[in-house]
Every structure is written in C-alpha cells, then in structure tokens.
Amino acid sequence: MKVLEEAAELSVAVNEYRKGQGSRMAALDELADLVQTLANLCDAYGFTDEEIREASERVQRRNVERGRYADGERRMF
C-alpha cells in the first residue's frame, strides 16, 4: 500500500535528519508526500473534511484521556 511506502520513506528521512546525515527539507518533503498520499486515500474512499475533522477530534479526546500527550505537545493540526 502506498501509505506504508511513504511512511517508511518518512521514517528513514527523519532518522537521517536526527543523526545529522539528512536535511530537514528532505524530511519535510517526505512528510508532504505522506500527507498527499493520505489526501488521495481520503478522496478515493469519499471521506469528507467534516468526517475527518470529527474522527480527529474523537481520536484526540481518546488520547488525552489515555494520557498520551505531554503538556504543550501538539495534538492535531
């Protein structure tokens, strides 16, 4: 699946960046590729912006309840 491929490429780029062996721009480009792939997937399945927003809010609430965020951490866009 394309999403897994793009996520793996992002993982490699971020790890290289963290080690000082890759660039921030390369990591951001891989992130953008993953976001675009996810947008394409949403379009393919007809997920609306409203459905995605509602699902994101549910997941965020659930993660807050489970204590998965530290103070000041970004939760969602």
Coordinates of all heavy atoms in Angstrom, one line a residue:
M1 N 0.9 -1.2 0.0 CA 0.0 0.0 0.0 C 0.9 1.2 0.0 O 1.9 1.3 0.7 CB -0.9 -0.1 1.2 CG -1.8 1.1 1.3 SD -3.0 1.0 2.7 CE -4.5 1.1 1.8
K2 N 0.5 2.2 -0.8 CA 1.3 3.4 -1.0 C 1.5 4.2 0.4 O 2.6 4.7 0.6 CB 0.6 4.3 -2.0 CG 1.4 5.6 -2.3 CD 2.6 5.2 -3.2 CE 3.2 6.5 -3.7 NZ 4.5 6.3 -4.3
V3 N 0.6 4.2 1.3 CA 0.7 4.9 2.5 C 1.9 4.3 3.3 O 2.7 5.0 3.9 CB -0.6 4.8 3.4 CG1 -0.4 5.3 4.8 CG2 -1.7 5.5 2.7
L4 N 2.0 3.0 3.3 CA 3.1 2.3 4.1 C 4.4 2.7 3.5 O 5.4 2.9 4.2 CB 2.9 0.8 4.1 CG 1.6 0.4 4.8 CD1 1.5 -1.2 4.8 CD2 1.6 0.8 6.3
E5 N 4.5 2.7 2.2 CA 5.7 3.1 1.5 C 6.2 4.5 1.8 O 7.3 4.7 2.2 CB 5.5 3.0 0.0 CG 6.7 3.4 -0.9 CD 6.4 3.5 -2.4 OE1 5.5 2.7 -2.8 OE2 7.1 4.3 -3.0
E6 N 5.2 5.4 1.8 CA 5.5 6.8 2.1 C 5.9 7.0 3.6 O 6.8 7.8 3.9 CB 4.4 7.7 1.7 CG 4.1 7.8 0.2 CD 5.2 8.3 -0.6 OE1 6.2 8.9 -0.1 OE2 5.2 8.0 -1.8
A7 N 5.2 6.3 4.5 CA 5.5 6.3 5.9 C 6.9 5.8 6.1 O 7.7 6.4 6.9 CB 4.5 5.6 6.7
A8 N 7.3 4.7 5.5 CA 8.7 4.2 5.6 C 9.7 5.2 5.1 O 10.8 5.4 5.8 CB 8.8 2.9 4.9
E9 N 9.4 5.8 4.0 CA 10.4 6.8 3.5 C 10.5 8.0 4.4 O 11.6 8.5 4.6 CB 9.9 7.3 2.1 CG 10.1 6.2 1.0 CD 9.5 6.6 -0.3 OE1 9.1 7.8 -0.5 OE2 9.5 5.8 -1.2
L10 N 9.4 8.4 5.0 CA 9.5 9.5 6.0 C 10.3 9.1 7.2 O 11.1 9.8 7.7 CB 8.0 9.9 6.5 CG 8.0 10.9 7.7 CD1 8.6 12.2 7.3 CD2 6.5 11.1 8.1
S11 N 10.1 7.8 7.7 CA 10.9 7.3 8.8 C 12.4 7.4 8.6 O 13.2 7.8 9.4 CB 10.4 5.9 9.2 OG 11.2 5.4 10.2
V12 N 12.8 6.9 7.4 CA 14.2 7.0 7.0 C 14.7 8.4 7.0 O 15.8 8.7 7.6 CB 14.4 6.3 5.6 CG1 15.8 6.5 5.1 CG2 14.1 4.8 5.8
A13 N 13.9 9.3 6.4 CA 14.4 10.7 6.2 C 14.5 11.4 7.6 O 15.4 12.1 7.9 CB 13.4 11.5 5.3
V14 N 13.5 11.1 8.5 CA 13.6 11.7 9.8 C 14.7 11.2 10.6 O 15.4 11.9 11.3 CB 12.2 11.5 10.6 CG1 12.3 11.8 12.0 CG2 11.1 12.3 9.9
N15 N 15.0 9.9 10.5 CA 16.1 9.3 11.3 C 17.4 9.8 10.8 O 18.3 10.1 11.6 CB 16.1 7.8 11.2 CG 15.0 7.1 12.1 OD1 14.7 7.7 13.1 ND2 14.5 6.0 11.6
E16 N 17.6 10.0 9.5 CA 18.8 10.6 8.9 C 19.0 12.0 9.4 O 20.1 12.4 9.7 CB 18.8 10.5 7.4 CG 19.0 9.1 6.9 CD 18.8 9.0 5.4 OE1 18.5 10.0 4.7 OE2 19.1 7.9 4.8
Y17 N 17.9 12.8 9.4 CA 17.9 14.2 9.9 C 18.3 14.2 11.3 O 19.2 15.0 11.7 CB 16.6 14.8 9.6 CG 16.5 16.2 10.2 CD1 17.3 17.2 9.7 CD2 15.5 16.5 11.2 CE1 17.2 18.5 10.3 CE2 15.4 17.8 11.7 CZ 16.3 18.8 11.2 OH 16.1 20.1 11.7
R18 N 17.8 13.4 12.1 CA 18.1 13.4 13.6 C 19.6 13.0 13.8 O 20.2 13.5 14.8 CB 17.2 12.4 14.3 CG 15.8 12.9 14.5 CD 14.9 11.9 15.2 NE 15.6 11.2 16.3 CZ 15.3 10.0 16.7 NH1 14.3 9.3 16.2 NH2 16.0 9.4 17.7
K19 N 20.1 12.2 13.0 CA 21.5 11.8 13.1 C 22.5 12.8 12.4 O 23.7 12.7 12.5 CB 21.8 10.5 12.4 CG 21.1 9.3 13.1 CD 21.3 8.1 12.3 CE 20.5 6.9 12.8 NZ 20.6 5.7 11.9
G20 N 21.9 13.9 11.8 CA 22.8 14.9 11.1 C 23.2 14.4 9.8 O 24.1 15.0 9.2
Q21 N 22.6 13.3 9.3 CA 23.0 12.8 8.0 C 22.1 13.2 6.8 O 22.3 12.8 5.7 CB 23.1 11.3 8.1 CG 24.1 10.8 9.1 CD 24.1 9.3 9.4 OE1 23.1 8.6 9.0 NE2 25.0 8.8 10.1
G22 N 21.0 13.8 7.2 CA 20.0 14.2 6.2 C 19.5 15.6 6.5 O 19.8 16.2 7.5
S23 N 18.8 16.1 5.5 CA 18.3 17.5 5.7 C 16.9 17.6 6.2 O 16.1 16.7 6.0 CB 18.4 18.2 4.3 OG 17.4 17.8 3.5
R24 N 16.6 18.7 6.8 CA 15.2 19.0 7.3 C 14.3 19.1 6.1 O 13.2 18.6 6.1 CB 15.2 20.3 8.0 CG 13.9 20.7 8.6 CD 14.0 22.0 9.4 NE 12.8 22.5 9.9 CZ 12.2 22.2 11.0 NH1 12.8 21.3 11.8 NH2 11.0 22.7 11.4
M25 N 14.8 19.7 5.0 CA 13.9 19.8 3.8 C 13.6 18.4 3.2 O 12.4 18.2 2.8 CB 14.6 20.6 2.7 CG 13.7 20.8 1.5 SD 14.5 21.8 0.2 CE 14.7 23.4 1.1
A26 N 14.5 17.5 3.3 CA 14.2 16.1 2.8 C 13.1 15.4 3.7 O 12.2 14.8 3.1 CB 15.5 15.3 2.7
A27 N 13.2 15.6 5.0 CA 12.3 15.1 5.9 C 10.9 15.7 5.6 O 9.9 15.0 5.6 CB 12.7 15.3 7.3
L28 N 10.9 17.0 5.5 CA 9.6 17.7 5.2 C 9.0 17.3 3.9 O 7.8 17.1 3.7 CB 9.8 19.2 5.2 CG 10.0 19.8 6.6 CD1 10.5 21.3 6.5 CD2 8.7 19.8 7.4
D29 N 9.8 17.1 2.9 CA 9.3 16.6 1.6 C 8.7 15.2 1.7 O 7.6 14.9 1.1 CB 10.4 16.6 0.5 CG 10.8 17.9 0.0 OD1 10.2 18.9 0.4 OD2 11.9 18.0 -0.7
E30 N 9.3 14.4 2.5 CA 8.7 13.0 2.7 C 7.4 13.1 3.5 O 6.5 12.4 3.2 CB 9.7 12.1 3.4 CG 10.9 11.7 2.6 CD 10.6 11.0 1.2 OE1 9.5 10.5 1.1 OE2 11.4 11.1 0.3
L31 N 7.4 14.1 4.5 CA 6.1 14.3 5.2 C 5.0 14.7 4.2 O 3.9 14.3 4.3 CB 6.3 15.3 6.3 CG 5.1 15.7 7.1 CD1 4.5 14.5 7.8 CD2 5.5 16.8 8.1
A32 N 5.4 15.7 3.4 CA 4.4 16.2 2.4 C 3.9 15.1 1.5 O 2.7 15.0 1.1 CB 5.0 17.3 1.6
D33 N 4.8 14.2 1.1 CA 4.4 13.0 0.2 C 3.4 12.2 1.0 O 2.4 11.7 0.4 CB 5.6 12.2 -0.1 CG 6.5 12.7 -1.2 OD1 6.1 13.7 -1.9 OD2 7.7 12.2 -1.3
L34 N 3.6 11.9 2.3 CA 2.7 11.1 3.1 C 1.4 11.8 3.2 O 0.3 11.2 3.0 CB 3.3 10.8 4.4 CG 2.4 10.0 5.4 CD1 2.0 8.7 4.8 CD2 3.2 9.8 6.7
V35 N 1.4 13.1 3.5 CA 0.1 13.8 3.6 C -0.6 13.8 2.3 O -1.9 13.6 2.3 CB 0.4 15.3 4.1 CG1 -0.9 16.1 4.0 CG2 0.9 15.3 5.5
Q36 N 0.0 14.0 1.2 CA -0.6 13.9 -0.1 C -1.2 12.5 -0.4 O -2.3 12.4 -0.9 CB 0.3 14.3 -1.2 CG -0.3 14.3 -2.6 CD -1.4 15.3 -2.7 OE1 -1.2 16.5 -2.6 NE2 -2.6 14.9 -3.0
T37 N -0.5 11.5 0.0 CA -1.0 10.1 -0.2 C -2.2 9.9 0.7 O -3.2 9.3 0.2 CB 0.1 9.1 0.1 OG1 1.2 9.3 -0.7 CG2 -0.4 7.7 0.0
L38 N -2.2 10.4 1.9 CA -3.4 10.3 2.7 C -4.6 11.0 2.2 O -5.7 10.6 2.2 CB -3.1 10.7 4.2 CG -2.1 9.8 4.9 CD1 -1.6 10.5 6.2 CD2 -2.7 8.5 5.2
A39 N -4.3 12.2 1.6 CA -5.4 13.0 1.0 C -6.0 12.2 -0.2 O -7.2 12.2 -0.4 CB -4.9 14.4 0.6
N40 N -5.1 11.6 -1.0 CA -5.6 10.8 -2.1 C -6.4 9.6 -1.6 O -7.5 9.3 -2.3 CB -4.4 10.3 -2.9 CG -3.6 11.4 -3.6 OD1 -4.1 12.5 -3.7 ND2 -2.4 11.1 -4.0
L41 N -6.0 9.0 -0.5 CA -6.8 7.9 0.0 C -8.2 8.4 0.5 O -9.2 7.7 0.2 CB -6.0 7.3 1.2 CG -6.6 6.1 1.9 CD1 -6.6 4.9 0.9 CD2 -5.8 5.7 3.1
C42 N -8.2 9.5 1.1 CA -9.5 10.1 1.6 C -10.4 10.4 0.4 O -11.6 10.0 0.4 CB -9.3 11.4 2.4 SG -8.5 11.1 4.0
D43 N -9.9 10.9 -0.7 CA -10.6 11.2 -1.9 C -11.1 9.8 -2.5 O -12.3 9.7 -2.9 CB -9.8 11.9 -2.9 CG -9.6 13.4 -2.6 OD1 -10.3 13.9 -1.7 OD2 -8.7 14.0 -3.2
A44 N -10.3 8.8 -2.5 CA -10.7 7.5 -3.1 C -11.8 6.9 -2.4 O -12.7 6.2 -3.0 CB -9.5 6.6 -3.1
Y45 N -11.9 7.1 -1.0 CA -13.0 6.5 -0.2 C -14.1 7.5 0.1 O -15.1 7.1 0.8 CB -12.4 5.9 1.0 CG -11.6 4.6 0.8 CD1 -10.3 4.6 0.6 CD2 -12.3 3.4 0.6 CE1 -9.6 3.5 0.4 CE2 -11.6 2.2 0.3 CZ -10.2 2.3 0.2 OH -9.6 1.1 -0.1
G46 N -14.0 8.7 -0.4 CA -15.1 9.6 -0.3 C -15.2 10.2 1.1 O -16.3 10.6 1.5
F47 N -14.1 10.1 1.9 CA -14.2 10.7 3.3 C -14.2 12.2 3.2 O -13.4 12.8 2.5 CB -12.9 10.3 4.1 CG -12.8 8.8 4.3 CD1 -11.5 8.3 4.4 CD2 -13.9 8.0 4.5 CE1 -11.4 6.9 4.6 CE2 -13.7 6.6 4.7 CZ -12.5 6.1 4.7
T48 N -15.2 12.8 3.8 CA -15.4 14.3 3.7 C -14.5 15.0 4.8 O -14.0 14.3 5.7 CB -16.8 14.7 4.0 OG1 -17.1 14.4 5.4 CG2 -17.8 14.0 3.1
D49 N -14.2 16.3 4.6 CA -13.5 17.0 5.5 C -14.1 17.0 6.9 O -13.4 16.9 7.9 CB -13.3 18.5 5.1 CG -12.4 18.6 3.8 OD1 -11.7 17.7 3.5 OD2 -12.4 19.7 3.2
E50 N -15.4 17.1 6.9 CA -16.2 17.0 8.2 C -16.0 15.7 8.9 O -15.7 15.7 10.1 CB -17.6 17.3 8.0 CG -18.5 17.3 9.2 CD -18.2 18.5 10.2 OE1 -17.5 19.5 9.8 OE2 -18.5 18.4 11.3
E51 N -16.1 14.6 8.2 CA -15.8 13.3 8.8 C -14.4 13.1 9.3 O -14.2 12.6 10.4 CB -16.1 12.2 7.7 CG -17.6 12.0 7.4 CD -17.7 11.0 6.2 OE1 -16.9 11.1 5.2 OE2 -18.7 10.3 6.3
I52 N -13.5 13.7 8.6 CA -12.1 13.6 9.0 C -11.9 14.4 10.3 O -11.2 14.0 11.3 CB -11.1 14.0 7.9 CG1 -11.2 13.0 6.7 CG2 -9.7 14.1 8.4 CD1 -10.6 13.5 5.5
R53 N -12.5 15.6 10.3 CA -12.4 16.5 11.5 C -13.0 15.8 12.7 O -12.4 15.8 13.8 CB -13.0 17.8 11.2 CG -12.8 18.9 12.3 CD -13.7 20.1 12.2 NE -15.1 19.8 12.2 CZ -15.9 19.4 13.2 NH1 -15.3 19.4 14.4 NH2 -17.1 19.2 13.1
E54 N -14.2 15.3 12.5 CA -14.8 14.6 13.6 C -14.0 13.4 14.2 O -13.9 13.2 15.4 CB -16.2 14.2 13.2 CG -17.2 15.3 13.0 CD -18.5 14.9 12.4 OE1 -18.7 13.7 12.1 OE2 -19.4 15.8 12.2
A55 N -13.5 12.6 13.2 CA -12.7 11.5 13.6 C -11.4 11.9 14.4 O -11.0 11.3 15.4 CB -12.3 10.6 12.4
S56 N -10.8 13.0 13.9 CA -9.6 13.5 14.5 C -9.9 14.0 15.9 O -9.1 13.8 16.8 CB -9.0 14.7 13.7 OG -8.6 14.3 12.4
E57 N -11.0 14.7 16.1 CA -11.4 15.1 17.5 C -11.7 13.9 18.4 O -11.3 14.0 19.6 CB -12.7 16.0 17.4 CG -12.3 17.4 16.8 CD -13.6 18.2 16.5 OE1 -14.7 17.8 16.8 OE2 -13.4 19.4 16.0
R58 N -12.3 12.9 17.9 CA -12.5 11.7 18.7 C -11.2 11.1 19.1 O -11.0 10.7 20.3 CB -13.3 10.6 17.9 CG -14.8 10.9 17.9 CD -15.6 9.6 17.4 NE -15.1 9.1 16.1 CZ -15.5 9.5 14.9 NH1 -16.3 10.5 14.8 NH2 -15.0 9.0 13.8
V59 N -10.3 10.9 18.2 CA -9.0 10.3 18.5 C -8.2 11.2 19.5 O -7.6 10.7 20.4 CB -8.2 10.1 17.2 CG1 -6.8 9.8 17.5 CG2 -8.9 9.0 16.4
Q60 N -8.3 12.5 19.3 CA -7.6 13.4 20.2 C -8.1 13.3 21.6 O -7.4 13.2 22.6 CB -7.7 14.9 19.7 CG -7.0 15.8 20.6 CD -7.0 17.3 20.1 OE1 -7.0 17.4 18.9 NE2 -7.0 18.2 20.9
R61 N -9.5 13.3 21.8 CA -10.1 13.1 23.1 C -9.7 11.8 23.7 O -9.3 11.8 24.9 CB -11.6 13.2 23.0 CG -12.2 14.6 22.9 CD -13.7 14.6 23.1 NE -14.4 13.8 22.2 CZ -14.8 14.1 21.0 NH1 -14.6 15.3 20.5 NH2 -15.5 13.2 20.3
R62 N -9.7 10.8 23.0 CA -9.3 9.4 23.5 C -7.9 9.4 23.9 O -7.5 8.9 25.0 CB -9.6 8.4 22.4 CG -9.4 7.0 22.9 CD -9.9 6.0 21.9 NE -9.3 6.1 20.6 CZ -9.9 6.2 19.4 NH1 -11.3 6.2 19.4 NH2 -9.3 6.4 18.3
N63 N -7.0 10.1 23.1 CA -5.6 10.1 23.5 C -5.3 11.0 24.7 O -4.4 10.6 25.5 CB -4.7 10.5 22.3 CG -4.6 9.4 21.3 OD1 -4.7 8.2 21.6 ND2 -4.4 9.8 20.0
V64 N -6.0 12.0 24.9 CA -5.9 12.9 26.1 C -6.3 12.1 27.3 O -5.7 12.1 28.3 CB -6.7 14.2 25.9 CG1 -6.9 14.9 27.3 CG2 -6.1 15.1 24.9
E65 N -7.5 11.4 27.2 CA -8.0 10.5 28.3 C -6.9 9.5 28.7 O -6.8 9.1 29.8 CB -9.3 9.9 27.9 CG -10.4 10.9 27.8 CD -11.7 10.2 27.1 OE1 -11.6 9.0 26.8 OE2 -12.6 11.0 26.9
R66 N -6.2 9.0 27.7 CA -5.2 7.9 28.0 C -3.9 8.5 28.4 O -2.9 7.7 28.7 CB -5.0 7.1 26.7 CG -6.2 6.3 26.4 CD -6.0 5.5 25.1 NE -7.2 4.8 24.7 CZ -7.4 4.2 23.5 NH1 -6.5 4.3 22.6 NH2 -8.5 3.5 23.3
G67 N -3.8 9.8 28.5 CA -2.5 10.4 29.0 C -1.4 10.3 28.0 O -0.2 10.3 28.4
R68 N -1.7 10.3 26.7 CA -0.6 10.2 25.7 C 0.0 11.5 25.3 O 0.9 11.4 24.4 CB -1.2 9.5 24.5 CG -1.6 8.1 24.8 CD -2.0 7.3 23.5 NE -2.2 5.9 23.8 CZ -2.8 5.1 23.0 NH1 -3.3 5.5 21.9 NH2 -3.0 3.9 23.4
Y69 N -0.4 12.6 25.8 CA 0.2 13.9 25.5 C 0.9 14.5 26.7 O 0.3 14.5 27.8 CB -0.8 14.9 24.9 CG -1.5 14.4 23.6 CD1 -2.8 14.2 23.6 CD2 -0.7 14.3 22.5 CE1 -3.4 13.8 22.4 CE2 -1.3 13.9 21.3 CZ -2.6 13.6 21.2 OH -3.2 13.2 20.1
A70 N 2.1 15.1 26.5 CA 2.7 15.9 27.5 C 2.2 17.3 27.4 O 1.7 17.7 26.3 CB 4.2 15.8 27.3
D71 N 2.3 18.1 28.4 CA 1.9 19.5 28.4 C 2.6 20.2 27.2 O 3.8 20.0 27.1 CB 2.2 20.2 29.7 CG 1.3 19.8 30.8 OD1 0.2 19.3 30.5 OD2 1.6 20.0 32.0
G72 N 1.9 21.0 26.5 CA 2.4 21.7 25.4 C 2.6 21.0 24.1 O 3.1 21.6 23.1
E73 N 2.4 19.7 24.1 CA 2.6 18.9 22.9 C 1.5 19.2 21.9 O 0.3 19.4 22.2 CB 2.5 17.4 23.2 CG 3.7 16.6 22.8 CD 3.6 15.2 23.3 OE1 2.6 14.7 23.8 OE2 4.6 14.5 23.0
R74 N 1.9 19.2 20.6 CA 0.9 19.4 19.5 C 0.0 18.1 19.5 O 0.5 17.0 19.4 CB 1.5 19.6 18.2 CG 0.5 19.8 17.1 CD 1.1 19.9 15.7 NE 1.9 21.1 15.6 CZ 2.3 21.5 14.5 NH1 2.1 20.8 13.4 NH2 3.1 22.6 14.4
R75 N -1.3 18.3 19.4 CA -2.2 17.2 19.3 C -2.6 17.0 17.9 O -2.6 15.9 17.4 CB -3.3 17.4 20.3 CG -2.8 17.4 21.7 CD -4.0 17.4 22.7 NE -3.5 17.4 24.0 CZ -3.5 18.4 24.9 NH1 -4.0 19.6 24.5 NH2 -3.0 18.3 26.1
M76 N -3.2 18.0 17.3 CA -3.6 17.9 15.9 C -3.4 19.2 15.3 O -3.1 20.2 15.9 CB -5.2 17.6 15.9 CG -5.5 16.3 16.3 SD -4.9 15.0 15.2 CE -6.0 13.7 15.6
F77 N -3.5 19.2 14.0 CA -3.3 20.5 13.2 C -4.3 21.5 13.5 O -5.4 21.2 13.8 CB -3.2 20.2 11.7 CG -2.0 19.3 11.4 CD1 -2.1 18.0 11.2 CD2 -0.8 19.9 11.2 CE1 -1.0 17.2 10.8 CE2 0.3 19.2 10.9 CZ 0.2 17.8 10.7

